[in-house]
Amino acid sequence: MYIGCLHFQFSITALLRSKGTNPCSKFDLLGHGTWQGLSSLDSFKNNCDRLTCQRNFGISSQHLTRVQALVVWCNHPQNADFPRYYPKKEKKPFPIPIVELRRAARERLKNRKNQPRGIPPPKRGLVVERLIPVAYKVLNARITLINNLKKLLKVMPVNACKWCSEIHVGPVGHPFKSCRGPQASIRKGAHEWVEAVVEDMLVPIEAYHLYDRLGKRISHEERFSVPRIPAVLELCIQAGVDLPEYPTKRRRKPVIRIGRKEFIDADESELPDPDPDAPKPEILAEILDSEIVPPSSEEDTALLAEETLEMWEEMREGAKRLMKMYPVRVCGYCPEVHVGPTGHKAQNCGAHKHQQRNGQHGWQSAVLDDLIPPKFVWHVPDVNKPLERELRNFYGQAPAVVELCVQAGTAVPEKYKPTMRLDVGIPKDVREAEMVV
């Protein structure tokens, strides 16, 4: 991966000898941002193993005979940028740009001629059989993750801000003044730390439960009569999980389309009745707060953290597979999520300029982070040493669950190393930080 220009070597052998001509300035030949993207010399030596020199002859030979640029190439990503924070006044970007969506639609129309049109099973009212075990695994992984986090929070300190949604994994909250809660200007952005709970680690994203995912859209008058459940749970129910408390309609024959938005159910009277005694996968139960037993030793804590990290990855990977077949929508202005082909009509969006939209949501395709927000926190290199406000640019970030498991004794996963910035050398004091180029 291209990191950037490290150093320019200038070899000026001939300048204009005519009268009245000023020699070329060195700063005129250097481009802006030459040193951007470089962290430290030690990190550069450990991670970069191939150097390539490229010559640039863009300048006239009368002024400069040769300019050489030393370009650095690395084999793996390092020091990746943090996830961008989108202000409330800014709309979320589309996962796929509109230009690419229109280009793909034209290609589909061109290739659809004289070929049978394939419709996925969810659009025909059916359930994908091969994804039913995945849905049960996602649901059980979510329940196990919640139970393990309740146990880890008994032995691992996690702080949450009293005024905003920011949290910090560590015995003492971080000193960065980044609070955006009420009266943050009076407190000059300083956080007020309290003890965190599971809801601070896993952001509760809820969605309306649909009895029939192909039925009519939820109107504004029905917004209080339709139950709301966790969005991941609703995705698993639509993918095949059967819960008695949340009934849903299961079709065994595809629907018959009359129009674009009209259909009728096929006759299923000739099919045999489903076997009610058929074995179904077991669904775990959440542990009550009064029944939590924390780990007794550091070895048990490390094993519990390793299992927690596995459940976190299993839940996210399984939900990503389900979202490819069962569409999920998200509002471009607020965190509202709807599991279904089209969003609901409830006018409960209170984001920026919602009066102009009459409270209606701006639905667009959701990504995995909309359904399961990772909630990035600051990575603490040394638990016994608190973070320093002056060295903020040298610290990394990681999802709250990952950071908690790493501090509990789990090895750092490869996919989270670029944002955690483990290879960046942290200065000992502010004076040393000022010397870093």
Side-chain angles (χ1 to χ4, degrees):
M1 186 180 69
Y2 177 73
I3 298 298
C5 240
L6 177 65
H7 184 65
F8 279 94
Q9 296 179 350
F10 292 91
S11 175
I12 304 178
T13 59
L15 295 175
L16 285 180
R17 299 180 179 179
S18 59
K19 298 181 180 180
T21 305
N22 294 328
C24 296
S25 176
K26 179 179 179 180
F27 297 99
D28 295 338
L29 302 178
L30 282 172
H32 296 287
T34 303
W35 298 95
Q36 293 180 0
L38 298 178
S39 56
S40 64
L41 184 59
D42 295 336
S43 173
F44 165 73
K45 291 180 179 179
N46 294 333
N47 296 281
C48 302
D49 58 353
R50 185 175 59 175
L51 302 178
T52 305
C53 290
Q54 296 180 354
R55 296 183 178 181
N56 185 1
F57 297 95
I59 305 176
S60 176
S61 59
Q62 296 179 353
H63 294 75
L64 182 65
T65 58
R66 186 179 60 180
V67 177
Q68 293 182 350
L70 188 62
V71 182
V72 182
W73 295 85
C74 289
N75 291 334
H76 63 275
Q78 173 193 356
N79 307 338
D81 295 335
F82 300 148
R84 181 185 173 188
Y85 171 77
Y86 292 97
K88 295 182 179 180
K89 297 182 180 180
E90 185 176 350
K91 188 178 182 296
K92 301 175 186 176
F94 289 97
I96 303 177
I98 296 295
V99 177
E100 296 184 8
L101 289 176
R102 292 175 178 175
R103 186 182 298 110
R106 290 193 296 266
E107 291 294 332
R108 286 196 302 268
L109 290 176
K110 185 185 301 182
N111 299 332
R112 191 180 299 172
K113 296 180 180 179
N114 301 327
Q115 292 183 0
R117 182 180 179 183
I119 301 177
K123 290 187 177 182
R124 294 181 292 168
L126 303 179
V127 177
V128 184
E129 296 293 335
R130 70 176 187 276
L131 293 181
I132 294 179
V134 179
Y136 277 94
K137 287 184 179 180
V138 171
L139 181 58
N140 288 331
R142 178 181 178 273
I143 297 175
T144 306
L145 177 63
I146 294 175
N147 295 337
N148 291 354
L149 286 178
K150 290 181 179 180
K151 298 177 184 178
L152 287 176
L153 288 179
K154 293 293 184 179
V155 295
M156 298 296 298
V158 181
N159 298 278
C161 182
K162 182 179 178 181
W163 304 100
C164 68
S165 60
E166 191 165 346
I167 63 176
H168 180 74
V169 182
V172 182
H174 64 73
F176 309 136
K177 297 183 178 182
S178 56
C179 184
R180 299 185 179 91
Q183 300 179 355
S185 58
I186 300 178
R187 292 177 282 106
K188 296 182 179 180
H191 295 278
E192 236 181 277
W193 299 107
V194 295
E195 187 177 355
V197 294
V198 179
E199 288 74 13
D200 297 323
M201 304 285 294
L202 297 177
V203 182
I205 302 294
E206 294 185 346
Y208 286 108
H209 171 60
L210 303 180
Y211 173 74
D212 185 5
R213 65 187 311 274
L214 295 184
K216 295 183 178 180
R217 300 171 63 183
I218 299 175
S219 61
H220 182 68
E221 291 74 17
E222 298 174 341
R223 65 188 186 279
F224 297 121
S225 59
V226 179
R228 290 179 65 87
I229 60 176
V232 179
L233 177 59
E234 174 62 20
L235 178 62
C236 296
I237 291 175
Q238 294 188 16
V241 175
D242 292 328
L243 296 177
E245 57 270 26
Y246 301 112
T248 184
K249 188 173 183 178
R250 303 293 186 193
R251 295 181 176 88
R252 293 183 292 172
K253 276 190 175 183
V255 297
I256 302 174
R257 291 284 179 178
I258 301 176
R260 183 179 179 183
K261 297 183 179 180
E262 296 181 0
F263 65 91
I264 58 176
D265 292 331
D267 186 15
E268 299 181 0
S269 59
E270 58 184 17
L271 298 177
D273 296 335
D275 186 8
D277 299 332
K280 296 181 180 179
E282 182 183 1
I283 299 178
L284 304 179
E286 293 187 17
I287 302 176
L288 300 178
D289 296 341
S290 58
E291 301 176 357
I292 299 175
V293 179
S296 57
S297 61
E298 294 183 359
E299 291 77 9
D300 295 341
T301 303
L303 292 176
L304 184 62
E306 185 176 356
E307 182 187 9
T308 303
L309 190 57
E310 292 178 359
M311 294 298 103
W312 167 259
E313 295 296 334
E314 184 175 341
M315 180 183 66
R316 287 181 61 88
E317 292 297 331
K320 188 176 181 179
R321 289 185 58 187
L322 297 179
M323 291 177 64
K324 293 181 180 179
M325 188 61 64
Y326 299 91
V328 180
R329 305 295 178 183
V330 66
C331 179
Y333 303 94
C334 71
E336 180 73 10
V337 171
H338 182 78
V339 183
T342 54
H344 59 77
K345 294 183 179 180
Q347 302 174 1
N348 53 5
C349 182
H352 181 62
K353 293 185 178 180
H354 63 90
Q355 300 89 347
Q356 299 180 3
R357 293 176 279 109
N358 197 18
Q360 296 180 357
H361 295 280
W363 297 112
Q364 62 188 43
S365 298
V367 295
L368 182 61
D369 290 347
D370 296 325
L371 184 69
I372 308 176
K375 197 164 188 178
F376 278 73
V377 298
W378 290 102
H379 171 60
V380 181
D382 188 1
V383 182
N384 300 322
K385 183 179 179 181
L387 303 181
E388 298 184 20
R389 187 174 61 181
E390 293 79 6
L391 305 179
R392 176 175 178 174
N393 295 333
F394 298 91
Y395 298 120
Q397 291 186 1
V401 177
V402 177
E403 177 66 17
L404 179 64
C405 296
V406 169
Q407 292 190 18
T410 309
V412 180
E414 291 291 335
K415 60 187 298 185
Y416 298 109
K417 286 183 178 180
T419 55
M420 296 178 73
R421 296 182 177 177
L422 301 179
D423 298 329
V424 174
I426 301 178
K428 298 180 181 180
D429 50 15
V430 181
R431 181 179 179 182
E432 185 178 350
E434 295 177 351
M435 300 173 62
V436 177
V437 179

